[in-house]
Structures are given as structure tokens and as C-alpha cells.
Amino acid sequence: MSVISEENVRGGSVFKDISADDDDWQPSEIESLCMNCYKNGMTRMLLTKIPFFKEIIVSSFSCANCGWSNTEIQSAGRIQEQGICYTLKVKAKLDLNREVVKADSATTRIPELDFEIPPFTQKGSLSTIEGLLDRAVAGLEQDQSVRRAADPDVAEKIDEFIQKLKKLKDVEEEFTLVIEDPSGNSFVENPVAPQKDEALTVSRFKRTVEQDKQLGLRPDEDLEEEEPAGSDLDTMRNEVLVFNTNCPECNAPASTNMKLVQIPHFKEVIIMATNCDSCGHRTNEVKSGGATEELGTKITLRVTDHSDMNRDLLKSETCSVAIPELEFELGMAALGGKFTTLEGLLKDIKDLIVSKNPFICGDSGSTDRVQKLSEFGDKIDKILAGEMKIHFILDDPTGNSYLQNVYAPDPDPEMTVEKYTRTFEQNEDLGLNDMKTEGYQEENGTG
């Protein structure tokens, strides 16, 4: 028995193009339970890539005890943004050899016979068009013996239809095969790829609400239908919004998730997270969900216990951080906006000052500077371990930062929150001195 081993991971990927020439690429074998006789059988899994398509997982189960076998394919990627529909004109026997990936969410139709295989009635399969027809015939023949005894007329009609399906494999007349998959993860081979296939039409479509529900992309009870018109803000609170962007590291297409979150005893904030599938870079950012407060906020926490490291913390992009015991201050905009814990922010500070500092690497780093920053990193480690007591200060002139009060709604004896009036310089830095929102129309004579 083997699992997905290091020998199978080539070039940083466990997926390999389908090829009959590579004998070294073997499926992984996993001993598993047979659902027919409840003894142990063997599941073989192959992680492969289909040319001009994507990665899939092919699994095959066989039981040596009772002879039962089963095959299945699963998409190794995510559900696509749009559904996909393949329409193929089958004109010759050679077309029956085209490879087909049929996801379990796909609908298969042959309009000439008024035949349809609904979604989620078969498991996903990697086959050919001929294999799809054979599988359809096998499904119809499965209970024919029972039907002949219970309802001979129905059994006779099904026998006639089975003969029509079998006759399609002779391709005496042209017929149409349609595979429509709302998940976007089905595929019909183009044998002349990357050139255009005149017999194959590929179209994409936007999923309906019902299809989203079938794929588990939205709840059964559609919240949007129950909400009154004009409740866009309520919709944002219930959904994770996704929009396309580019990775800040490799500039490859990526997606950013955005969610409006209510922080208890504080306010609403917008959390944004980007994950790049190409280079693996991840980033998250927090924006205030409200306006700039009239007063700034200064939060001082006396860290006395290791449990303080678990306090939730919201640092806006305008917030500065200070630790007097280390004579350390981090200005606004450094590290951006973050929603994390006190431990998480201290680790980010250590990475920024010590691990990712270009001035302590190679020839750029003087011995004295490297030693001082190394000592700073050691002190951060002591704070994280609860061996050093400090005062941790968040100073945000916009009033949009937050540190969890573990005694809420009662006052926290180790934390003080001060409100203050911003200075002219602080308003200038925030661009508030030039911002006028009152009496604008009257002064400009637009009454």
C-alpha cells in the first residue's frame, strides 16, 4: 500500500499530464472498506491533468472478496465562476473516442432521442462518448428483469429505447450530445486543440439561483428574496463578496473575499483577504465600516499575563503602535490594517523589524545593527512567552482601532481607553482639513 509519495510530486505539483508512456507514474493505493460485502478492498487514486483542461482526481475501487468495483472522478479545482455547456455534433465513429469528463453536477442530453440524464443522478466519470452511451445503457438495463415481471409494457418500451441508444454507436446518422454543467468542471475533448473544433461548440452561462443552491453556493432559503428592497447593507452582512484582482506579488489573476463583520462592543469593519493560487501569496486587510470618529482613541493595555496574547485586536491603517519598555514605536500605515490577536500583531512586528529587514542581510548589515535587532527579537519572544510585562499602546487619531475587553461589558482593570481631540497636524495628515461636508451647496450658490 502506498500514499501520495515524494516520488510522485514532481516540479512542486502532484498532478501530471495523462500519458501512456510514463511507467513511473503509478496511482496511489489505499486500503478501504467495501460497501457491498463490508470487507476491505483497495482504492486506487490518480491525480492527473487533462491537456487543455484542468486537474482531476480519478479513483477506482475493487474488492477481491466479492468482486465489486466502482470508478469515479472528482474535480481537483474549485467551482468555476460560470457554468459551461458543450454541444458536440457526432458525425463519425471516430468522435466516439473523444475523452469526456462528466462531473456529477452535469446534465447529459441527446435531443434526437429526447433523452436526458439529470444532474446528481450519476457519479462523476472520466470516459469517452462511447463509454457514456454504454453507461446509460447499463443504467437502463439494471432493473429490467424486475420490470418485466411487474410491468411488461414499460419494460418493452425501455428495451426499444435501449436499442436506439446502442444504435447510436454505429453513427449511421448524425446525433447531438449536450453536456451542461453549472459547476464549470466538465469537459469534452477537442482532438485538434489548440485549433478550433468545428463540430464542438463551447458556451458559458451564469448560474441560476436554483443551480447555486444545488451546488451548495447559497442557502436553501434565499435571504435576498426575503429581504425588502433597499437592504443592500443587510445583504453584505450575510454574504462574502468576491471580486477579481491581481496578486500583489506575482501579478497573476486572483480573487479577493470581502466580508462586513460586527465586532462586539465596537463597530462594523470590512475584512478583505486575497489568496493567490499561482504563487501561494496570502494577504488580509481591515477597513473601518464607518466614518472617521470625531475624536481620536488611545488604548493602553498593561500586559500582565500570557492570556493577554489571545485578545482580539483591530489595528486600522491610521493607527500607530508603541511599547515604552522597548522604546519602540511603529508609525501609522506600517503593516496596514489588521484584524488579528495581540500575539499575531507582535509576531508581525517581529517579522517586519527582524526577519524581513533588508538592512540586516548580507553586506548591508553591520554587526552592531544586527545585534540590536536580534536583541529586539529576543525581547518580543519573551513577551510572547509571558516572561516580560509591558505596556502596549494603540494610538489611532481616526478612532477606528480596537482592543478586546475580556471583562466586557464591565471595565477592564488592565486597560485604559482615552478619547482626545485631534491636532491640526493630525487632521492634515488624514486629509480632513480640506474636507468640507456642511454648507457646501449654499456657498457655491447651488442652493
Side-chain angles (χ1 to χ4, degrees), residues 17 31 39 100 147 269 281 331 336:
D17 292 334
E31 190 174 357
K39 296 181 181 179
V100 176
R147 292 192 192 99
V269 297
H281 177 72

Side-chain angles (χ1 to χ4, degrees), residues 397 421-434:
T421 302
R422 286 184 292 271
T423 64
F424 178 87
E425 289 75 15
Q426 287 175 322
N427 282 330
E428 188 71 19
D429 291 338
L430 296 171
L432 298 178
N433 288 333
D434 298 326

Side-chain angles (χ1 to χ4, degrees), residues 12 20 106 146 156-157 306 325 332 346 350 353 358 373 390 394:
V146 178
E156 183 179 353
K157 291 179 180 179
H306 184 260
E325 288 79 2
M332 68 170 64
L346 288 172
K350 180 185 175 183
I353 303 300
L373 292 179
I390 61 165
L394 294 175

